[in-house]
Amino acid sequence: MMVSVKNLHKKFGDLQVLKGISCEIDKNEVVCIIGPSGSGKSTFLRCLNLLETITEGEVIINGHNLTGEHLDILEMRKEIGMVFQSFNLFPHMKVIDNVMLAMVKVKKMKKEAARERALELLRKVGLENKAEVYPSNLSGGQQQRVAIARALAMDPVVML
């Protein structure tokens, strides 16, 4: 299993948002989480990336127990790509720079190699021609595709 979730609970004070979620996801499997606004979809994904503290339960991703002791959260996050609802693109940076940033800062890639990889990813999402524009000049769908390219730039084992 690439992702194994067992009896996941998440509370915010007295409000219990996640109530015992369990699932298993194989490598290369695509899973969609659907439900009404406020039903806990984003909270569930944020728990899988440890952006929320898990109240109870167990999460194992790529063999790493996220709820176990001695976990290096920053190292684990390098393996988990996430596209946020609001995309979180840096408005002061061009599209190409948004995609390159983590490759240069986190993966320590040389800028030339990061630029080449970023252009390849932008090509895959149909936005190579928008590499030199700012996010404010893109539609919402285009911004989302840039965010996908940025997440893929880290070569994650799991994409949320």
Side-chain angles (χ1 to χ4, degrees):
M1 287 298 128
M2 184 55 67
V3 177
S4 176
V5 179
K6 295 178 183 166
N7 199 30
L8 180 64
H9 292 261
K10 174 60 184 168
K11 289 183 182 180
F12 293 100
D14 291 335
L15 177 64
Q16 186 165 3
V17 177
L18 304 178
K19 304 172 183 174
I21 295 175
S22 295
C23 67
E24 292 186 339
I25 303 168
D26 288 323
K27 184 175 183 175
N28 296 323
E29 185 175 3
V30 176
V31 175
C32 297
I33 303 167
I34 59 173
S37 179
S39 63
K41 301 177 301 290
S42 294
T43 299
F44 176 63
L45 295 176
R46 290 175 59 81
C47 285
L48 294 183
N49 202 8
L50 297 177
L51 294 172
E52 294 290 350
T53 304
I54 295 168
T55 305
E56 181 184 332
E58 180 179 73
V59 176
I60 298 172
I61 295 183
N62 198 28
H64 301 284
N65 188 339
L66 304 189
T67 49
E69 295 179 21
H70 311 297
L71 176 73
D72 186 338
I73 294 173
L74 295 178
E75 282 300 311
M76 191 62 226
R77 283 195 188 132
K78 289 179 186 178
E79 294 187 17
I80 303 171
M82 185 161 179
V83 179
F84 294 89
Q85 282 180 311
S86 59
F87 317 132
N88 294 339
L89 297 176
F90 295 107
H92 65 289
M93 297 173 71
K94 292 179 180 178
V95 164
I96 189 79
D97 299 317
N98 266 280
V99 178
M100 289 174 52
L101 183 64
M103 290 188 281
V104 172
K105 296 289 185 185
V106 178
K107 293 180 92 174
K108 307 295 185 201
M109 287 178 73
K110 295 197 180 299
K111 283 190 177 184
E112 300 79 29
R115 182 175 182 81
E116 188 176 307
R117 175 76 172 135
L119 286 171
E120 174 188 327
L121 291 167
L122 288 170
R123 195 174 310 114
K124 283 186 176 183
V125 297
L127 291 174
E128 183 181 24
N129 65 331
K130 300 291 186 181
E132 298 298 328
V133 304
Y134 290 93
S136 62
N137 295 320
L138 301 175
S139 70
Q142 289 171 324
Q143 289 181 39
Q144 185 173 39
R145 287 186 280 155
V146 172
I148 291 167
R150 182 180 60 184
L152 290 172
M154 294 299 289
D155 298 312
V157 296
V158 172
M159 186 74 150
L160 307 173

